[in-house]
Amino acid sequence: AQSVAQPEDQVNVAEGNPLTVKCTYSVSGNPYLFWYVQYPNRGLQFLLKYITGDNLVKGSYGFEAEFNKSQTSFHLKKPSALVSDSALYFCAVRDSVSGTASKLTFGTGTRLQVTL
Amino acid sequence: ETGVTQSPTHLIKTRGQQVTLRCSSQSGHNTVSWYQQALGQGPQFIFQYYREEENGRGNFPPRFSGLQFPNYSSELNVNALELDDSALYLCASSATSGGPPRYEQYFGPGTRLTVT
């Protein structure tokens, strides 16, 4: 069974500072990893993905994530946080050997609060 | 490019009733997945439809059922509603075939279901 852990319920950071939102995963095969962001009363918005290749992937709005196979982690990062980045962030994993069903398993989410 | 749309936005039902939620997939996407997001939780996979057939199911009882139509739109039906069915129901579309695989799913804004 595949699973995702987001160990922090909330991350607080000052605007202009770097931010990291942590994610670890467990799958039986090679992982496909994703980050989504959710604003209040909205659906999930895709930020970035890791499928294969370079361990550092870049996504929307200046976000990037680093895949670490030995630590089974896929932490989300941004060099300089903005107040508008404040939202709920979800890490998700899909097993590459799950067949035709592309089921995503999500973590419980991390609320990012960026203050002035 | 038209995004994923869902209707209705909000719905209030009484325990024991039945409900139908609707989803139109993003243009060019042939696969639809449904997720349930309870308050304070990450989305949970209900099932996925591809070529009008159920293509994978999560840990949800049979009273959760669905349909996919030839235009790739989809319905989620829930019978015998229970209080615990109160949640945000998210539809996501993806392209399973035709062109290079992209793997990510694109989510609609969701339907907020309240069961009283």
Side-chain angles (χ1 to χ4, degrees), chain B residues 87-104:
Chain B
L88 181 67
Y89 288 85
L90 296 164
C91 168
S93 72
S94 54
T96 300
S97 62
R102 297 181 64 184
Y103 302 108
E104 64 267 28

Side-chain angles (χ1 to χ4, degrees), chain A residues 22-94:
Chain A
K22 296 180 181 177
C23 170
T24 59
Y25 66 89
S26 174
V27 294
S28 55
N30 291 321
Y32 294 160
L33 294 156
F34 307 84
W35 277 101
Y36 286 85
V37 60
Q38 187 174 37
Y39 295 96
N41 301 314
R42 302 280 293 277
L44 274 68
Q45 184 175 341
F46 171 71
L47 280 180
L48 52 78
K49 66 186 176 189
Y50 171 83
I51 304 300
T52 187
D54 195 348
N55 288 344
L56 184 65
V57 293
K58 295 186 182 299
S60 305
Y61 312 117
F63 284 94
E64 57 190 28
E66 186 169 10
F67 171 66
N68 187 317
K69 188 173 183 178
S70 63
Q71 296 186 4
T72 62
S73 67
F74 188 57
H75 300 333
L76 180 70
K77 301 182 180 186
K78 188 175 182 182
S80 178
L82 298 172
V83 171
S84 57
D85 293 330
S86 299
L88 189 56
Y89 290 80
F90 289 97
C91 180
V93 67
R94 172 194 160 184

Side-chain angles (χ1 to χ4, degrees), chain A residues 36 38 49 100-102 104, chain B residues 35 37 48 55 102 104-105:
Chain A
Y36 286 85
Q38 187 174 37
K49 66 186 176 189
T100 54
S102 52
L104 290 179
Chain B
Y35 293 82
Q37 186 180 14
Q48 182 179 89
N55 186 36
R102 297 181 64 184
E104 64 267 28
Q105 297 180 12

